Amino acid sequence: MTIRVLLADDQALLRATFRILIDSVEDMTVVAEAADGQEAVDLTAVHRPDVVIMDIRMPNLDGVAATSAICSRPELSETHILILTTFENDENVAKALRAGASGFLGKGVRPDDLMSSIRTVAAGDSLLSPTATRALITRFLATPDTDGFLALPDTVKALTDREREVTALAAYGKSNAEIADRLVVSPLTVRSHIQRAMTKVGARDRAQLVVIAYQSGLATPRPRPGG
């Protein structure tokens, strides 16, 4: 199966570079390019890509607003957003995650990491394991969501004790295999708990489930070592 990618960035040179990289692998293809956020929204509606690589800062409509517009459409639920930014500590990245983005990458990402990240989010998983991402989540997403990107759902109360436990461990950056090892269950069982938790709280993907975990108090920010 070929992963269909849409590139949204106002820098034509960067889009061209990414297109060459992505089109060079057998399991991916670039279906469209957008130079601003509104164009990204419009082209996503037309092409229904599996992954949108979205710059955080663009004219007309920025990456946060474009992400929110795409993720709010039920017919685009199979499209996953990967935020691309030079501002890894920018609060706008956290807002994009609240809006439904599946993760973020720095613009200096290595080609192999870019391909791996695209495959990760295309599979419906979130790009939340890097240290920089966990730091951003604990810094920004634990605060109340005053911008209305993602309201705390009452349905979080419907999670079972095990679903709460698994959700919290996912929020701390643990993989399914790591959670399974800790709880002495199979990775498939962990995945089932994650999927059920996502369904109950209305999370679009694992990234939004992590956001909800912090906002609801299921997970709490952990201090950095030595900090």
Side-chain angles (χ1 to χ4, degrees):
M1 177 179 176
T2 300
I3 299 172
R4 304 170 72 251
V5 181
L6 187 149
L7 301 174
D9 195 293
D10 59 348
Q11 298 181 39
L13 180 59
L14 185 63
R15 294 199 311 271
T17 301
F18 275 29
R19 174 183 279 274
I20 291 171
L21 290 172
I22 292 169
D23 284 344
S24 70
V25 297
E26 293 183 355
D27 63 335
M28 298 182 198
T29 185
V30 174
V31 296
E33 296 181 25
D36 62 56
Q38 186 57 58
E39 190 176 16
V41 175
D42 295 340
L43 289 175
T44 298
V46 172
H47 293 280
R48 307 288 181 93
D50 300 300
V51 177
V52 176
I53 299 180
M54 181 83 73
D55 187 17
I56 200 74
R57 295 173 184 267
M58 290 185 291
N60 297 332
L61 195 68
D62 65 26
V64 174
T67 295
S68 181
I70 291 170
C71 293
S72 66
R73 297 188 181 186
E75 69 273 19
L76 299 178
S77 61
E78 297 301 315
T79 294
H80 304 284
I81 311 294
L82 184 56
I83 297 295
L84 187 68
T85 179
T86 55
F87 303 90
E88 291 190 354
N89 290 322
D90 193 332
E91 187 172 2
N92 284 332
V93 177
K95 291 178 180 179
L97 289 174
R98 288 192 186 110
S102 295
F104 78 95
L105 290 172
K107 286 192 175 182
V109 62
R110 296 182 303 177
D112 288 348
D113 290 337
L114 173 65
M115 305 309 168
S116 175
S117 300
I118 292 172
R119 294 185 182 102
T120 295
V121 298
D125 293 324
S126 58
L127 200 66
L128 298 174
S129 57
T131 301
T133 311
R134 288 200 298 268
L136 180 140
I137 288 172
T138 56
R139 180 178 178 185
F140 292 118
L141 300 191
T143 61
D145 181 18
T146 58
D147 297 313
F149 282 103
L150 184 65
L152 289 179
D154 290 337
T155 48
V156 73
K157 300 175 183 177
L159 297 181
T160 65
D161 289 342
R162 180 46 62 93
E163 288 165 355
R164 287 170 179 257
E165 186 176 20
V166 169
T167 297
L169 289 171
Y172 291 134
K174 301 296 185 183
S175 67
N176 285 359
E178 290 171 329
I179 296 173
D181 184 62
R182 176 163 178 167
L183 300 181
V184 196
V185 296
S186 73
L188 181 60
T189 297
V190 172
R191 187 176 182 85
S192 295
H193 286 310
I194 292 289
Q195 291 292 335
R196 284 198 294 270
M198 285 167 48
T199 299
K200 288 182 179 180
V201 303
R204 178 186 176 91
D205 57 19
R206 192 183 182 107
Q208 276 202 338
L209 183 65
V210 169
V211 172
I212 292 171
Y214 279 102
Q215 290 183 315
S216 65
L218 289 181
T220 55
R222 290 178 171 178
R224 296 179 181 180

